[in-house]
Amino acid sequence: SSEVLEAIENVVQGVFQSLAQKKAPVLTVANRSDWRNIEYKDSVGLQMIPGCTTKQIRSDCPQSARRFALMLKILSMIYKMVQSNTYATKRDIYYSDTVLFGSQSVVDQIINDISCMLKIPRRSLHVLATTKGFVAGNLSYTEEDGTKVNCTCSATVVTVPSNVQGIKNLTSHAKFILIVEKDATFQRLLDDDFFNKVSPCIMITGRGIPDLNTRLLVRKLWDSFQIPIFALMDADPHGVEIMCVYKYGSVSMSFEAHHLTVPSVKWLGLLPSDLERLNICKDALIPFTKQDENKLASIQKRPYIACQPLWKKELEIMAASKLKAEIQVLTSLSSDYLSRVYLPNKLQFGGWL
């Protein structure tokens, strides 16, 4: 915590020095969303390059003065929390003054900018992300406050803990981890008692684009157990994008790639080639929108796709057909096809990429 306090004091001292010299104070932050500042590394995924380009948030410029003020406001809130050893979610910060901040996304972006500027992970700033992910299956652990959590009871799901770094005593006999894109599929697999029937496993879902805690938990499970991790996604550009976030990370959080990415994630399904192989009726598939076409084209250009010839092939199949499918399309074959046939066969015969 002394490191965090010192980093914030250095920023504030810089502001005072500028004022003393009758200069307008400026905060310098990295251009987090610029692909030119990102490099792809096999072992880490997407990470920020050391000499990345920066942008200035000036106090004397009408376009950025408000943002400058909000950054100092949130820095002061973080300073107080670190000093008093208290925590707040990003939501708490937004609701402390909704009129001032204007929207939750403003708070989220500023917190990421601060984390990147100070080179300090967000959880060390005492800011917790609101968790939306679920975990179930052969796993138990102890939370930071001593609460024992057992995810093995199939009737209930466990919310991903809000302080993943604090959990300890992780135990599991799982043979693999299954990342499920959507809540509906996750619940369906729970209802079918999938994680007990095939072989013991851990299932986790970020319920769409994963939040920070879900990504941290996947990484922690990988570090703890070193077992295969499979991704079950819709056969559409959005599903591929979500899987890439788990595996390679995201551009906006590339400065924290070392804690978040799991390059060993394998694409289990739903593969575009599966749709043909299983003779899925064309009427059950959904035509691409313009947005889908753009999303797929942008994914195909990414540096990591060049290193994945089999993924590249699947994306080409998707691009050629201009059709997408949700995992639920398998119910057109039979109501429990996913858990009874599709997943057991894939896992047994190695149908992943």
Side-chain angles (χ1 to χ4, degrees):
S1 63
S2 59
E3 186 193 333
V4 181
L5 296 175
E6 193 183 336
I8 296 172
E9 284 161 10
N10 288 340
V11 171
V12 176
Q13 197 175 0
V15 171
F16 282 147
Q17 279 170 346
S18 297
L19 291 169
Q21 293 163 3
K22 300 209 168 15
K23 289 181 185 165
V26 168
L27 296 175
T28 306
V29 297
N31 264 330
R32 288 187 298 114
S33 56
D34 191 338
W35 272 91
R36 288 170 300 186
N37 285 332
I38 310 297
E39 63 180 354
Y40 166 63
K41 226 176 159 189
D42 229 3
S43 57
V44 184
L46 300 176
Q47 63 175 15
M48 196 168 261
I49 58 172
C52 67
T53 61
T54 56
K55 59 184 176 187
Q56 290 194 327
I57 298 169
R58 302 188 61 85
S59 58
D60 61 347
C61 168
Q63 282 83 18
S64 61
R66 176 180 160 73
R67 194 172 186 84
F68 178 91
L70 292 181
M71 280 187 81
L72 286 185
K73 168 74 176 167
I74 291 177
L75 275 168
S76 78
M77 293 171 87
I78 290 169
Y79 192 85
K80 281 179 194 148
M81 289 192 296
V82 175
Q83 259 188 333
S84 59
N85 197 25
T86 53
Y87 287 81
T89 64
K90 293 185 301 178
R91 245 179 129 59
D92 295 334
I93 291 174
Y94 168 59
Y95 279 108
S96 70
D97 198 331
T98 54
V99 176
L100 177 70
F101 295 119
S103 75
Q104 181 71 59
S105 63
V106 168
V107 172
D108 297 355
Q109 282 174 0
I110 288 175
I111 287 164
N112 285 343
D113 275 342
I114 287 172
S115 174
C116 186
M117 177 175 75
L118 301 179
K119 295 187 170 52
I120 290 169
R122 196 164 73 191
R123 58 208 159 276
S124 302
L125 301 176
H126 287 227
V127 178
L128 303 172
T130 312
T131 294
K132 65 184 178 98
F134 291 144
V135 61
N138 196 293
L139 174 69
S140 59
Y141 56 84
T142 309
E143 289 200 342
E144 195 180 29
D145 63 1
T147 309
K148 287 185 168 52
V149 178
N150 185 358
C151 307
T152 313
C153 170
S154 59
T156 55
V157 295
V158 174
T159 305
V160 168
S162 59
N163 187 358
V164 174
Q165 298 310 102
I167 67 174
K168 48 191 182 292
N169 307 332
L170 286 90
T171 52
S172 176
H173 303 292
K175 297 284 181 277
F176 62 91
I177 296 161
L178 183 66
I179 299 170
V180 182
E181 178 188 346
K182 287 196 302 213
D183 195 20
T185 311
F186 183 83
Q187 298 293 346
R188 179 69 215 233
L189 290 171
L190 275 182
D191 294 344
D192 291 349
D193 201 21
F194 171 76
F195 64 80
N196 285 324
K197 280 182 183 159
V198 179
S199 68
C201 74
I202 298 166
M203 295 197 318
I204 189 162
T205 179
R207 299 162 76 197
I209 295 170
D211 58 285
L212 194 69
N213 294 327
T214 304
R215 290 175 64 191
L216 283 168
L217 183 60
V218 171
R219 176 60 194 247
K220 192 162 187 111
L221 293 173
W222 161 245
D223 287 338
S224 304
F225 304 123
Q226 300 282 310
I227 52 178
I229 302 186
F230 300 113
L232 178 64
M233 306 280 148
D234 288 340
D236 66 11
H238 191 64
V240 175
E241 172 84 281
I242 289 170
M243 175 171 57
C244 291
V245 169
Y246 284 107
K247 186 175 173 76
Y248 298 116
S250 60
V251 174
S252 64
M253 293 298 287
S254 58
F255 64 95
E256 270 208 62
H258 288 272
H259 311 285
L260 292 171
T261 60
V262 186
S264 60
V265 169
K266 300 278 184 278
W267 188 3
L268 187 68
L270 190 59
L271 302 177
S273 60
D274 289 339
L275 304 174
E276 213 166 277
R277 185 175 59 81
L278 298 170
N279 280 327
I280 301 285
C281 169
K282 279 266 168 47
D283 294 344
L285 305 178
I286 307 159
F288 261 25
T289 61
K290 188 72 191 144
Q291 203 179 358
D292 291 324
E293 282 181 45
N294 295 342
K295 167 79 77 189
L296 182 56
S298 98
I299 293 170
Q300 286 176 303
K301 288 192 196 102
R302 290 184 194 167
Y304 44 72
I305 298 298
C307 312
Q308 291 277 11
L310 297 174
W311 281 36
K312 204 171 167 210
K313 215 168 166 181
E314 292 293 334
L315 298 182
E316 282 163 4
I317 293 171
M318 200 190 287
S321 73
K322 290 195 177 170
L323 293 168
K324 57 185 182 177
E326 296 185 334
I327 297 161
Q328 284 81 346
V329 79
L330 296 176
T331 55
S332 66
L333 301 171
S334 76
S335 63
D336 58 352
Y337 192 87
L338 175 67
S339 57
R340 189 176 51 84
V341 183
Y342 182 82
L343 288 175
N345 282 350
K346 282 252 169 177
L347 293 160
Q348 192 179 343
F349 302 115
W352 57 81
L353 307 178

